Amino acid sequence: MKDNIKIPYFPGCTLKTTAKNFEISAIEAGKKIGIEMVELPKWNCCGVVSSLTSDDLMKHMAPIRNFVHAEEMGEQGLVNDKRMLILCSMCFNTMKSSNKRVKGNSEDMKSINDFMYLEKDYEGTVDVVHYFELMKEIGFDKIAEKITKPLKDLKIASYYGCMLLRPKDIAIDDTEAPTIIEDFVSSVGAEPIAWDAMSRCCGSYHTVNNTDIVVNLAKGIIENARKSGAEAIITSCPLCAFNLDNRQKLILEKDPNFKTMPVFYFTQLLAIALGLEEEFIGLDGNYIDPRPLLKEKNLI
Amino acid sequence: MPKKIKLTDNGAEFLKQIEKLSGETITMCDQCGTCSGGCPFVEEMDIMPSQIMRMTMLGQMEVLDSKTMWICASCFTCTVRCPRLLDVSKVSEALRQTKLRQAIDNINIDDISKEEAEELPSIAVVSAFRKFTS
Amino acid sequence: MKLASLLKAAKPETDIYVFYTDLRAFGKGFEEYYKKSQKMGIKFVRGKPSHFTENPFTKQISITVEDTLSRQVIESDFDLVVLANGMGLSKASDPIANFLKLAKSEDGFFKEAHPKYKPVDTLVEGVFIAGTAQGPKDIPDTVAQASAAAARVMVTLAQKEFKIDPILAFVDQNKCDGCEKCLENCPKNAIVMNGNGKAEVVEALCLGCGSCIASCPTEALDLHAYTSDQLYAQIDAILLNKPEGEKRILVFADNNCTYRVADALGVRKMKYTAETRIMRMPSSGRVTPNLIMYAFKKGADTVLIGDCEINNLPVPWTSKVGKENIEVAKKRLEEAGVQGDRIFFEEFNAGALQRFIDTVTNISETMKGLQPITSEVKEGLCQRK
């Protein structure tokens, strides 16, 4: 195992805009646990949702174009790990699906390369890896050793959502009984609770024009977490984070008796446990302020 | 209300098209209902995911007028549980695409206020427009 | 259904639901049993549960399932859930399977020699199967099958002498130079070295597949009923008097599938190209590179080796050897300077009649573009005159 993993990093749109606080915590916490994230010098939108029809090759071009840049980084010696690190669950899913499709089909690969004739050809040498998977490789026990401020007594609901677990060939863990986020939660000293809604959909993009669906689903997920004894939820998807966190405003409007619950991006939790400065944790960006909870537990 | 349906050549052609677009053999569906039972959106739908499969198999093109395919957010819960290893998400996408390719969008940008739009993360906007527009 | 009935009989106040995908009460008395369960008040719901959740504190189990007949989703709590898993063959059977070299079918159960005509025999002579070793079944069927197996054992034990198939490999002791190459080319390890340092076939073990023969550099190994002399003579006869300008596809047809397909084609009077000539072989493994080369020497323009799909092969080993032999032959053709694809391989199942016709038709089409092999080149293809 390399002491310091220097890896191409694909941020995606949301971590660069409304969820910048998530990215900062990931980058800074990464430095402490031996992950140096080197952002792709050039990247484009992955398309967020993977296209599912059989005749849609062109929709896979955007993801593939990013892999070309990752390969270039490897050739230029900018990194020592040739995979591509992704934080956002949706980017992860879309990029991994497209990659799998062209790697398994030389004709598709050729069509896409022909179409991108201004770019270098994609050779199919890049694999996608999620932050959770990289931490698992480093070893959650090793990460636990680096923790300076264990999140004692903090009861966390590990929210996987859809995109890290489904479909099966994209999943980072067992589809129905995953443990990777719980293992992470334990490694930072917090207590993972067992709950049922860990992979139930948050309503995804319906948040744009059908907020009722998202309100119903998000409420159900948060209430299930509370019923199971959780004090906060963590996720790796900026869209889930928005639906579970910001949409609590709408849930409250509909049901004034609803009890809110803080939602963390997983790297925020890591950053707190590693004792990083508050500017690197970025709690200002969370809609439901988690600071009262953290103060109660003497963590800030 | 009970009604009679006719099994037609056009219907059979419709099934073939959806099977081609989705890459799924819809006639393999056992109608066991596992997809509907696990679907987190089922209460928002007018017909169930299993009914989509059934109607498509019988070539009932009215399936395209149902809300269900638009409510489906491709969460893949049905995909990973189907005992026949069918991907209902793909069938749903094929039905959406069939409609979208007739240049019939399912979202109107004017319905979203400026304040709402500013609040939304880009990930939500991009995905919604990928799924709802042609 | 049995558990539900027993529970209902013991505790009639229990509210019982049975969730099912399809219900088939196929056996004698089963339909009556089903009716009885319904009469007792057990509710049958057509739908496969998708989601089970357990309340972490009360341990109550909740099920989400579509009732596919009323098109409603049921989400309800239950005190007890009994899962009915599909039956599988016990892992403890693996050592037995390995020891006896028994095949398993796709469903994981032991494979019978023939599903209709030899339902209790296995592909290993003298070993019989019965009951759930062969597939899921109830007690009456198990008893019936076990009785049949016992009767087959009796037949075997009652014989004073055990008859075996006469198609067996043999070694010409004068030609064998003791190189031992054939030893590793027998799937049953039926070839051993004798006291004279020469190879010898243990006839009780030999399956007669012929896949050892290509490995013998001195042509000492041969197969009764399919001896090299007989096969060469057949090729001579088949290609004798081939008219000028005509072409020939020589089909080496394995006895288990391809030859049966060809036979069935004839019985049904189905037509295929008249350029086809068919030779019966015990297996594709018996088709040695020498035979293929000899066929070209004698005037064949293309050769088709027809095999079984691997799942239907009594001795799967033969397929591997057959394919290796083809590669050797292709190389020898290339080295001799013969142009074009001339050796074809195809796997058939016994019902693939139309596919056989299509295959030879395609080969015939390809053959139109092939130049005849010149007689000089032909001479160099094979040492045998």
Side-chain angles (χ1 to χ4, degrees):
Chain A
M1 176 64 65
K2 292 175 281 244
D3 290 341
N4 193 26
I5 302 168
K6 224 172 149 184
I7 186 166
Y9 157 60
F10 175 81
C13 56
T14 305
L15 292 177
K16 283 291 177 194
T17 51
T18 47
K20 212 147 173 37
N21 52 330
F22 299 169
E23 190 196 27
I24 292 166
S25 57
I27 293 174
E28 295 302 322
K31 285 178 190 164
K32 292 249 178 181
I33 58 168
I35 304 173
E36 191 180 332
M37 295 157 59
V38 191
E39 188 176 322
L40 295 176
K42 252 189 349 185
W43 56 267
N44 54 261
C45 175
C46 65
V48 186
V49 280
S50 192
S51 182
L52 299 172
T53 50
S54 53
D55 62 349
D56 59 346
L57 192 58
M58 281 310 128
K59 291 192 178 156
H60 294 279
M61 195 170 66
I64 300 307
R65 190 162 174 262
N66 292 314
F67 293 126
V68 176
H69 302 317
E71 278 182 344
E72 281 173 355
M73 287 174 80
E75 284 160 21
Q76 292 160 8
L78 299 172
V79 287
N80 64 14
D81 191 316
K82 295 196 170 167
R83 292 173 297 178
M84 185 190 278
L85 177 64
I86 298 181
L87 283 166
C88 168
S89 308
M90 294 193 90
C91 301
F92 172 77
N93 192 295
T94 303
M95 300 276 282
K96 193 166 172 180
S97 307
S98 296
N99 199 24
K100 194 169 168 292
R101 173 161 170 169
V102 295
K103 276 191 180 186
N105 188 328
S106 53
E107 243 173 70
D108 285 358
M109 176 85 96
K110 190 174 176 308
S111 303
I112 286 196
N113 277 331
D114 285 350
F115 203 82
M116 300 190 300
Y117 62 94
L118 292 175
E119 309 274 352
K120 285 176 98 168
D121 276 1
Y122 176 45
E123 309 283 351
T125 62
V126 181
D127 283 319
V128 172
V129 61
H130 191 272
Y131 207 92
F132 278 127
E133 294 177 295
L134 208 55
M135 286 197 287
K136 190 178 177 182
E137 265 179 46
I138 293 170
F140 286 122
D141 50 337
K142 295 270 176 348
I143 289 171
E145 287 166 15
K146 299 205 168 124
I147 298 301
T148 56
K149 207 196 284 177
L151 309 178
K152 245 171 92 67
D153 298 334
L154 191 60
K155 295 187 180 62
I156 298 290
S158 313
Y159 183 66
Y160 289 83
C162 311
M163 293 298 155
L164 293 182
L165 297 180
R166 295 185 292 263
K168 278 190 181 126
D169 49 0
I170 305 296
I172 65 168
D173 204 347
D174 186 278
T175 303
E176 300 284 358
T179 59
I180 188 166
I181 303 189
E182 281 83 353
D183 293 345
F184 162 73
V185 170
S186 303
S187 78
V188 295
E191 187 186 326
I193 57 115
W195 65 317
D196 172 45
M198 60 181 180
S199 67
R200 195 190 296 164
C201 185
C202 69
S204 189
Y205 50 79
H206 285 303
T207 204
V208 173
N209 65 341
N210 205 340
T211 47
D212 283 352
I213 293 184
V214 174
V215 164
N216 289 343
L217 286 167
K219 190 177 170 203
I221 291 165
I222 296 165
E223 281 176 348
N224 185 273
R226 187 173 305 286
K227 190 179 86 180
S228 312
E231 294 164 312
I233 297 174
I234 65 163
T235 174
S236 88
C237 176
L239 183 51
C240 299
F242 177 81
N243 284 346
L244 294 181
D245 189 9
N246 300 47
R247 287 303 183 212
Q248 291 191 39
K249 184 178 154 197
L250 297 181
I251 301 176
L252 268 175
E253 280 172 18
K254 256 185 125 173
D255 176 8
N257 295 325
F258 173 75
K259 276 177 76 185
T260 60
M261 181 180 282
V263 177
F264 291 99
Y265 201 63
F266 70 106
T267 52
Q268 290 183 310
L269 222 52
L270 182 60
I272 300 170
L274 288 166
L276 292 177
E277 304 292 317
E278 221 180 302
E279 59 179 306
F280 298 136
I281 304 170
L283 296 172
D284 285 335
N286 297 42
Y287 179 77
I288 302 294
D289 192 354
R291 278 169 286 209
L293 173 67
L294 295 171
K295 279 210 182 92
E296 187 195 315
K297 306 275 172 184
N298 290 322
L299 293 170
I300 51 169
Chain B
M1 198 169 40
K3 59 170 186 170
K4 285 182 182 169
I5 60 163
K6 278 222 156 48
L7 305 173
T8 62
D9 290 351
N10 281 345
E13 197 50 44
F14 174 69
L15 167 66
K16 265 188 208 156
Q17 267 177 25
I18 300 298
E19 286 194 334
K20 195 175 163 210
L21 203 52
S22 64
E24 299 298 311
T25 311
I26 294 170
T27 46
M28 278 289 288
C29 175
D30 237 353
Q31 287 292 306
C32 69
T34 311
C35 45
S36 316
C39 180
F41 295 95
V42 77
E43 283 167 284
E44 313 283 346
M45 294 170 169
D46 49 359
I47 57 172
M48 299 211 203
S50 51
Q51 275 171 292
I52 286 200
M53 300 294 281
R54 192 73 192 164
M55 288 175 77
T56 309
M57 190 182 108
L58 294 179
Q60 288 176 267
M61 278 171 261
E62 310 86 282
V63 70
L64 291 173
D65 302 325
S66 93
K67 257 168 65 180
T68 298
M69 65 196 195
W70 301 111
I71 301 290
C72 166
S74 313
C75 77
F76 303 118
T77 308
C78 48
T79 307
V80 297
R81 290 189 184 159
C82 177
R84 283 292 173 98
L85 306 180
L86 289 171
D87 195 335
V88 186
S89 307
K90 283 189 175 168
V91 175
S92 206
E93 178 104 336
L95 293 169
R96 280 193 294 271
Q97 283 293 324
T98 306
K99 201 81 179 173
L100 293 173
R101 288 174 192 190
Q102 298 162 10
I104 304 170
D105 289 348
N106 196 52
I107 193 168
N108 188 352
I109 194 148
D110 299 331
D111 293 346
I112 304 159
S113 73
K114 191 163 175 287
E115 296 75 46
E116 281 174 325
E118 274 169 4
E119 193 190 7
L120 286 169
S122 40
I123 189 171
V125 180
V126 175
S127 47
F129 278 79
R130 284 269 294 222
K131 288 282 186 185
F132 291 151
T133 63
S134 53
Chain C
M1 212 185 289
K2 187 168 91 183
L3 287 175
S5 312
L6 290 175
L7 181 59
K8 192 77 182 174
K11 289 194 165 193
E13 72 280 9
T14 326
D15 196 11
I16 301 177
Y17 293 83
V18 177
F19 296 99
Y20 67 96
T21 310
D22 263 318
L23 215 148
R24 295 164 207 179
F26 65 95
K28 184 175 174 176
F30 288 8
E31 188 65 30
E32 289 76 4
Y33 198 58
Y34 174 38
K35 262 190 209 154
K36 198 183 110 199
S37 313
Q38 287 175 305
K39 206 168 186 179
M40 290 170 92
I42 295 166
K43 293 154 196 164
F44 289 86
V45 181
R46 191 189 177 285
K48 195 171 184 301
S50 182
H51 208 70
F52 296 83
T53 61
E54 186 192 58
N55 183 307
F57 303 109
T58 64
K59 302 290 171 194
Q60 183 103 29
I61 295 172
S62 165
I63 296 183
T64 321
V65 54
E66 179 189 348
D67 170 29
T68 56
L69 295 178
S70 74
R71 294 293 185 192
Q72 300 172 84
V73 172
I74 300 171
E75 190 174 28
S76 203
D77 288 343
F78 290 85
D79 298 313
L80 177 72
V81 173
V82 181
L83 300 177
N85 261 8
M87 190 184 250
L89 190 58
S90 158
K91 279 219 169 64
S93 66
D94 288 348
I96 301 172
N98 292 337
F99 175 68
L100 293 173
K101 294 209 162 45
L102 291 179
K104 289 184 180 174
S105 35
E106 257 175 56
D107 56 14
F109 290 94
F110 285 121
K111 189 177 181 178
E112 60 288 312
H114 191 285
K116 292 192 182 81
Y117 307 121
K118 290 184 172 180
V120 297
D121 289 42
T122 64
L123 293 167
V124 180
E125 284 207 50
V127 180
F128 303 95
I129 45 172
T132 51
Q134 186 244 359
K137 58 179 64 67
D138 63 353
I139 295 168
D141 283 359
T142 303
V143 171
Q145 206 179 14
S147 309
R152 296 283 295 128
V153 171
M154 296 280 285
V155 169
T156 309
L157 293 181
Q159 290 170 342
K160 285 213 176 76
E161 284 178 339
F162 197 68
K163 282 183 193 161
I164 52 174
D165 207 322
I167 303 175
L168 296 167
F170 63 95
V171 181
D172 183 334
Q173 296 292 318
N174 294 327
K175 283 189 188 167
C176 177
D177 65 358
C179 74
E180 301 191 4
K181 277 184 185 150
C182 49
L183 299 192
E184 59 199 40
N185 277 291
C186 176
K188 294 305 257 182
N189 299 327
I191 310 177
V192 293
M193 299 306 287
N194 63 18
N196 303 328
K198 309 229 167 178
E200 196 175 282
V201 175
V202 182
E203 296 192 331
L205 288 174
C206 178
L207 296 168
C209 71
S211 41
C212 52
I213 292 167
S215 69
C216 181
T218 59
E219 298 195 338
L221 259 169
D222 216 337
L223 184 67
H224 287 303
Y226 292 96
T227 64
S228 295
D229 284 343
Q230 288 170 328
L231 295 174
Y232 285 125
Q234 271 193 57
I235 294 175
D236 284 341
I238 283 172
L239 297 166
L240 193 68
N241 300 333
K242 179 182 134 187
E244 191 73 23
E246 275 195 22
K247 292 192 169 160
R248 290 282 180 266
I249 308 167
L250 181 58
V251 183
F252 289 107
D254 86 289
N255 190 31
N256 278 289
C257 294
T258 319
Y259 192 78
R260 290 185 192 193
V261 170
D263 206 16
L265 283 171
V267 170
R268 295 192 191 184
K269 299 191 166 59
M270 289 167 81
K271 286 183 184 169
Y272 51 90
T273 168
E275 293 159 328
T276 315
R277 294 291 182 276
I278 292 164
M279 254 177 87
R280 180 177 180 160
M281 304 297 281
S283 76
S284 69
R286 175 66 186 92
V287 187
T288 59
N290 278 343
L291 279 175
I292 299 175
M293 301 312 283
Y294 188 74
F296 285 117
K297 183 174 183 171
K298 290 292 166 178
D301 297 274
T302 50
V303 164
L304 166 65
I305 291 95
D307 204 353
C308 271
E309 285 168 0
I310 192 110
N311 288 336
N312 295 326
L313 270 175
V315 191
W317 174 276
T318 56
S319 156
K320 174 178 129 348
V321 177
K323 284 174 187 160
E324 284 168 7
N325 288 349
I326 290 172
E327 286 314 307
V328 173
K330 278 186 175 166
K331 223 176 186 166
R332 278 172 62 179
L333 268 193
E334 202 181 304
E335 280 164 9
V338 177
Q339 302 284 315
D341 283 342
R342 288 174 189 267
I343 306 179
F344 298 86
F345 175 82
E346 192 72 28
E347 289 173 352
F348 299 98
N349 58 45
L353 303 189
Q354 188 56 43
R355 202 150 60 76
F356 182 90
I357 297 177
D358 294 344
T359 305
V360 287
T361 309
N362 286 339
I363 295 174
S364 170
E365 283 301 313
T366 331
M367 221 160 47
K368 283 184 185 150
L370 291 176
Q371 294 298 319
I373 307 172
T374 60
S375 37
E376 286 162 34
V377 173
K378 272 187 196 164
E379 271 313 300
L381 286 178
C382 182
Q383 286 177 352
R384 194 178 175 102
K385 294 287 172 211

